[in-house]
Amino acid sequence: MNLDSAAVIWSAPERERAGRPLLVLLHGYASHEGDLFQLSPRLPLGPVIASVRAPLRENGGWAWFSLARYGLEDPPAAVITEAARALLDWLDTLEYTSVSLLGFSQGAITSLQAMRLAPGRFRSVVALSGFVAQGDLPGDAELASAKPPVFWGRGTLDVIIPQSTIQRTEDWLPGHSHLTARI
């Protein structure tokens, strides 16, 4: 699984990206790289913004993992890890001073998993309407020590995200991040 580097929308041309922090936007299910990029005029001017397209074509858009195959319930952690590794592999091709992630729904789930797989790599994560994948990862102990900043926001009327995953995330994030949570 790979991200299409030609599909990335950038806030700055390549000649203006060096020596700046990077903010990566990860859209939700059945969406596309242009969706969250609409937020870029309202985001800080310092970082270069890169809005990436999820690797799987599904339901008229793009997905980080298949809902057609795994349903709306808690997807297997290995599937989320595969999506997060695709993101990490793409990041390996870039140069930046620091990187933060902002993800919505499946993009939030993928962002949190990437943070768990590479805990020292990310300056911060913004997870909107997402959750932490099940199971333990080797990076979890490092996160518990470092506690990077994480903003986790969700709505009370969200009928897509299962309550069990919300509870798991409520239990996990405070011990592994400097958490700001908003409902």
Side-chain angles (χ1 to χ4, degrees), residues 73-135:
E73 291 303 313
D74 207 356
V79 171
I80 299 168
T81 293
E82 185 178 8
R85 288 211 187 280
L87 173 65
L88 294 169
D89 290 346
W90 174 75
L91 285 169
D92 285 343
T93 68
L94 306 175
E95 292 184 33
Y96 44 81
T97 59
S98 67
V99 64
S100 295
L101 304 174
L102 186 158
F104 173 72
S105 192
Q106 279 195 354
I109 299 163
T110 303
S111 295
L112 291 168
Q113 193 75 342
M115 179 184 74
R116 294 175 71 192
L117 292 169
R121 189 165 195 173
F122 300 104
R123 183 174 184 178
S124 61
V125 172
V126 174
L128 306 173
S129 297
F131 57 84
V132 172
Q134 54 191 309

Side-chain angles (χ1 to χ4, degrees), residues 55-73:
L56 303 174
R57 187 175 253 317
E58 188 167 305
N59 199 21
W62 299 88
W64 293 96
F65 47 88
S66 175
L67 289 189
R69 184 168 180 191
Y70 300 106
L72 294 175
E73 291 303 313

